[in-house]
Amino acid sequence: MLPACVTARLLWPLLRVSTPTVVLRGLREPLLQRRCAATTSSQHPAGLGRGLPRGPTASGGYEGRDDLEERFLFPEYVPEPEPAPALEEQLRELQQRQEEEEQQKQQQREERRQQKLRDSLRVHPVVGHPDPTVPPSGLNCSGCGAELHCQDPVVPGYLPSEKFLSAAAQADGGLARMVCQRCWLLVHHRRALRLQVSREQYLELVSAALRQPEPALVLYMVDLLDLPDALLPDLPALVGPKQLIVLGNKVDLLPRDSPGYLQRLRERLWEDCARAGLLRPPGRRGPLHPGRGGPPDGKENSNHSTRSRTILRDVRLISAKTGYGVEELISALQRSWRYRGDVYLVGATNTGKSTLFNSLLESDYCIAKGPEAIDRATISSWPGTTLNLLKFPICNPTPYRMFERQKRLKKYAAEAEEDLSQLEQNQLHLLKKHGYVVGRVGRTFLYSEEQKDEAAFEFDADSLAFDMENEPITAADKSTKQVNLTPQDVKDAHWFYDTPGITKENCILNLLTEKEVNAVLPTHAIVPRTFVLKPGMVLFLGAIGRIDFLQGSQSAWFTVVASNFLPVHITSLDKADAIYQKHAGHTLLKVPMGGKERMAEFPPLVAEDITLEEGLGDSQAVADIKFSSAGWVAVTAQLKDRLHLRGYTPQGTALTVRAPLLPHIVNIKGERIKRSAAYKTKKLPSLVYNLQKKKQQMKT
């Protein structure tokens, strides 16, 4: 085989005529005029077109001048310029980039939000150090009643040893007015420390207090939002041979669904007491609906020998927060019980006992010196705030005191709102925002000159109960002069006791964190939310309750009566499971809070089938479906329509189907929102019951 250099020389005359020309920086030259030194380059495709000499021969004149080698450009291989992208494609690319940037920002915001939630769900750290060698003080916390000590942070009444020893060293008895670390965090930082106190310990403490042989009156407080009360059937065994008055609290949160609703609520409470086996006093007429109010199956009270010792004297509706019914309760206690013995306030957790205790402490039911000498009880939505007995001395209702009190009440009743001072009007306006019914609570006898200079109307809802929209509560201002009760002040005195709240079993609040409890428990007047659903639709109450509408011949109305901060979501049955898996723990369903980490430890929802027989029409609910202590949904079906539903609650909590508490609640709604299952909400005006309406303008 001939070398490449020889082959090129032999073929050169032929190629000079037949070979096409190429462009070399603007000059025309033969294609294969190259030097023999380029033999290696000719073996590879990349070497084609390199090292071609400008002379007529391969070696003529340019041998060795590598710097003159040029790069050829073949016209037949020149790539065509790419066409400019269309305007729509440019917009699509721009939109895609913007979406990617927005997704990154949303992901970063979600990560920051989840981090904040994880930080907020952490148990508040215990500040300071315990000292097991220091003995307990023998003094009780003025907020919760637990004995003050510095030995163990998980035991009620704990104070850090540094603060405990510093207060104990003060000559003026610094520990006497101290509150434990738990009460301090509850009041000033809205944080709760978990303590090791069992339900049996609460029951034993309350039972031991009520076993005293002296005459005593028991005020049993019921949460009207949580009827039927789970502890009511056990009340006779707990109270024993004592007089009993049942108080239905939080009536201010319930809207007026029809005229006479307060009387209907009171009769409903009488019926629940009758079903629990509590005997009515002689002369007291039975409930309005004896078929529903009597014991089940027509039986009389079982275990009559033990239950008959507890006599139910009265049933009253109050609002410890807004003051409705409190003055009437005080008058009833002074007339009926007078000064015969001690009074015990008993009830489950979160019923408002400590709020009522504080209200009565600032009223005529306490001696005039008491409000300045006794600290208020710690108030919180966290279950089990009170850990021991709190007390104040009861004022002896002498004829003179009762006469002066009646004069003050008549003056109150004759006043109109414009007659009040600006401060009193502002306080009333605040109370109206908190509840539908409001009452004014005042005091007839004041101890110090500083109190006499203040306005007579001192009832402040913000200082009595927590509110999600308010800043951390500060301690109530007291007289700069230290006031103490002397032995003469409490000689032969009878006392009003606030007992620890009894924890409820199968209660959803036991599964929630502090922040979740604040979202679930209502603090303002409840605004009912009504939705019209067809079969095949689903209603979510946060991520803690769910109702599936499985069968029904027509649409039905579902009215949610729960905290205004607890979201409601409507979807279809085929999407419900996916929505729960995606949004439980996040913003859409809100409760529980904390994302996948929180839901991993939260109990799953358990289903229970519900059949509601004949509907009563579009203006009256047929039943309430109650999700433990988180609220309920009133179901209103078409006339004689039969509904098949399925309710879901977290495992370990109770789902209750009851007769409707507010049967006409569906009527409290606005217009239906277009293309939505929801109706516009409507809040009814608030009423002040011991205040005249605004004076009419005099006609000229």
Side-chain angles (χ1 to χ4, degrees), residues 553 611-618 620-623 635-644 660:
S553 59
T611 300
L612 302 180
E613 300 298 339
E614 297 183 352
L616 303 177
D618 58 3
Q620 185 173 352
V622 63
V635 182
T636 304
Q638 298 285 358
L639 187 63
K640 296 185 178 181
D641 193 10
R642 186 173 182 268
L643 305 183
H644 181 203

Side-chain angles (χ1 to χ4, degrees), residues 454-682:
E454 295 175 356
F457 184 71
E458 300 175 346
F459 195 78
D460 184 3
D462 281 339
S463 63
L464 296 180
F466 278 175
D467 187 322
M468 290 184 64
E469 295 183 351
N470 293 327
E471 294 298 323
I473 306 300
T474 56
D477 293 335
K478 288 189 173 290
S479 173
T480 56
K481 182 180 179 181
Q482 183 70 31
V483 177
N484 295 312
L485 294 177
T486 64
Q488 185 64 28
D489 294 328
V490 297
K491 182 181 180 181
D492 300 327
H494 295 301
W495 298 83
F496 184 92
Y497 291 94
D498 178 21
T499 63
I502 304 171
T503 56
K504 293 175 283 189
E505 296 179 337
N506 302 325
C507 180
I508 196 171
L509 301 181
N510 299 333
L511 305 176
L512 303 180
T513 64
E514 175 193 357
K515 193 171 184 179
E516 293 165 354
V517 168
N518 288 332
V520 169
L521 288 182
T523 58
H524 285 67
I526 295 176
V527 179
R529 291 166 282 177
T530 300
F531 306 85
V532 57
L533 303 185
K534 298 179 181 179
M537 300 184 72
V538 176
L539 182 148
F540 277 102
L541 185 63
I544 58 178
R546 168 180 167 180
I547 296 178
D548 295 353
F549 189 2
L550 301 180
Q551 291 181 0
S553 59
Q554 302 180 66
S555 299
W557 292 269
F558 294 75
T559 303
V560 177
V561 185
S563 170
N564 302 331
F565 298 103
L566 193 59
V568 177
H569 183 73
I570 306 296
T571 186
S572 58
L573 191 59
D574 57 337
K575 299 179 181 178
D577 292 338
I579 286 179
Y580 181 83
Q581 293 296 330
K582 181 178 180 180
H583 295 286
H586 299 284
T587 305
L588 182 66
L589 300 179
K590 191 171 184 178
V591 178
M593 307 174 184
K596 294 182 179 180
E597 296 178 1
R598 177 73 174 102
M599 296 308 300
E601 63 183 17
F602 195 76
L605 297 183
V606 179
E608 179 179 339
D609 282 5
I610 303 169
T611 300
L612 302 180
E613 300 298 339
E614 297 183 352
L616 303 177
D618 58 3
S619 63
Q620 185 173 352
V622 63
D624 287 343
I625 301 176
K626 187 169 79 72
F627 297 96
S628 186
S629 298
W632 71 88
V633 177
V635 182
T636 304
Q638 298 285 358
L639 187 63
K640 296 185 178 181
D641 193 10
R642 186 173 182 268
L643 305 183
H644 181 203
L645 311 174
R646 182 170 293 150
Y648 294 79
T649 52
Q651 187 177 19
T653 62
L655 178 71
T656 306
V657 180
R658 68 183 186 189
L661 187 66
L662 299 171
H664 305 286
I665 190 72
V666 70
N667 299 321
I668 309 177
K669 65 179 186 295
E671 298 178 355
R672 183 175 175 180
I673 301 174
K674 293 182 179 180
R675 298 180 181 180
S676 171
Y679 289 82
K680 294 181 179 179
T681 57
K682 182 168 63 175

Side-chain angles (χ1 to χ4, degrees), residues 276-322:
L278 298 174
L279 295 180
R280 294 179 293 273
R284 164 68 191 179
R285 297 167 57 185
L288 296 179
H289 307 285
R292 293 189 300 170
D297 301 328
K299 297 179 182 180
E300 295 297 328
N301 298 335
S302 60
N303 197 8
H304 193 278
S305 60
T306 59
R307 292 179 180 246
S308 61
R309 297 179 299 173
T310 303
I311 302 297
L312 178 60
R313 287 295 177 185
D314 198 3
V315 168
R316 290 187 167 271
L317 303 181
I318 66 167
S319 170
K321 183 176 181 180
T322 67

Side-chain angles (χ1 to χ4, degrees), residues 71-210:
R71 185 168 211 163
F72 291 88
L73 183 65
F74 295 88
E76 60 268 30
Y77 294 105
V78 175
E80 297 182 359
E82 297 182 0
L87 181 60
E88 295 181 357
E89 186 176 352
Q90 293 179 359
L91 292 176
R92 191 180 306 112
E93 292 178 357
L94 179 61
Q95 184 178 4
Q96 184 177 359
R97 287 197 300 268
Q98 291 177 347
E99 290 178 354
E100 292 176 355
E101 294 176 357
E102 184 65 25
Q103 289 178 358
Q104 292 178 357
K105 291 180 181 179
Q106 289 181 356
Q107 184 177 0
Q108 293 174 357
R109 287 196 296 265
E110 180 67 18
E111 291 176 355
R112 290 194 297 267
R113 192 182 68 84
Q114 293 296 336
Q115 184 62 39
K116 289 181 180 179
L117 285 175
R118 287 191 291 269
D119 295 340
S120 65
L121 293 176
R122 293 173 184 166
V123 178
H124 198 283
V126 178
V127 182
H129 303 87
D131 189 349
T133 62
V134 179
S137 64
L139 301 174
N140 294 335
C141 168
S142 59
C144 66
E147 184 180 14
L148 295 173
H149 67 93
C150 63
Q151 297 180 346
D152 190 349
V154 301
V155 177
Y158 171 78
L159 272 174
S161 59
E162 296 85 352
K163 192 171 184 179
F164 181 90
L165 296 175
S166 175
Q170 296 179 9
D172 57 349
L175 279 175
R177 300 293 288 271
M178 292 289 292
V179 295
C180 66
Q181 186 181 61
R182 179 173 181 264
C183 290
W184 177 266
L185 293 176
L186 279 171
V187 171
H188 295 279
H189 299 284
R190 309 286 181 86
R191 295 290 182 266
L193 298 179
R194 293 186 179 272
L195 303 178
Q196 297 177 350
V197 183
S198 65
R199 184 173 187 268
E200 289 71 22
Q201 289 175 297
Y202 278 116
L203 285 172
E204 177 59 28
L205 182 60
V206 176
S207 179
L210 297 178

